[in-house]
Amino acid sequence: MRPDLNLSGVTLAKNQIRRIDNAIGAQIHCLHGNLWLTQDGDPRDIILQPGDEHRFERDAVTYVSALSDASFLLLRGPVALDRALPGGWMKALQARLANRWSAS
């Protein structure tokens, strides 16, 4: 794995909120559930569903709220995730996570 690539997976229960500082340039990829993103000073509210992604364009405090039990990947680094990892990885990861949640 590239040393300048930092991936972190996060799982949130419904209504749980995660604060992300220094998000500019980072990408968030929704793996499971539904997420609501909001950034200080940005009038938009962004809703992500499984398979959706968003690149943060502002250097502002970001809040990620789970509208349902959810999980996401947060990529920080100079490389876009779709260039850093082999094709088809998102669908495979989503299928694996869906199997894990349906078994519980």
Side-chain angles (χ1 to χ4, degrees), residues 28-96:
I28 186 170
H29 297 264
C30 182
L31 300 172
H32 172 79
N34 297 293
L35 300 169
W36 172 31
L37 312 177
T38 188
Q39 282 191 296
D40 287 349
D42 189 337
R44 299 174 298 166
D45 288 320
I46 298 160
I47 306 294
L48 299 181
Q49 298 177 352
D52 291 345
E53 63 184 57
H54 176 74
R55 179 180 292 275
F56 297 106
E57 301 164 350
R58 327 174 56 100
D59 190 17
V61 175
T62 300
Y63 295 95
V64 179
S65 179
L67 299 175
S68 62
D69 289 349
S71 63
F72 63 89
L73 284 178
L74 183 65
L75 170 71
R76 294 178 186 265
V79 180
L81 190 54
D82 58 353
R83 292 183 191 152
L85 298 173
W89 68 272
M90 179 67 83
K91 288 185 190 260
L93 186 54
Q94 286 174 324
R96 185 173 179 187

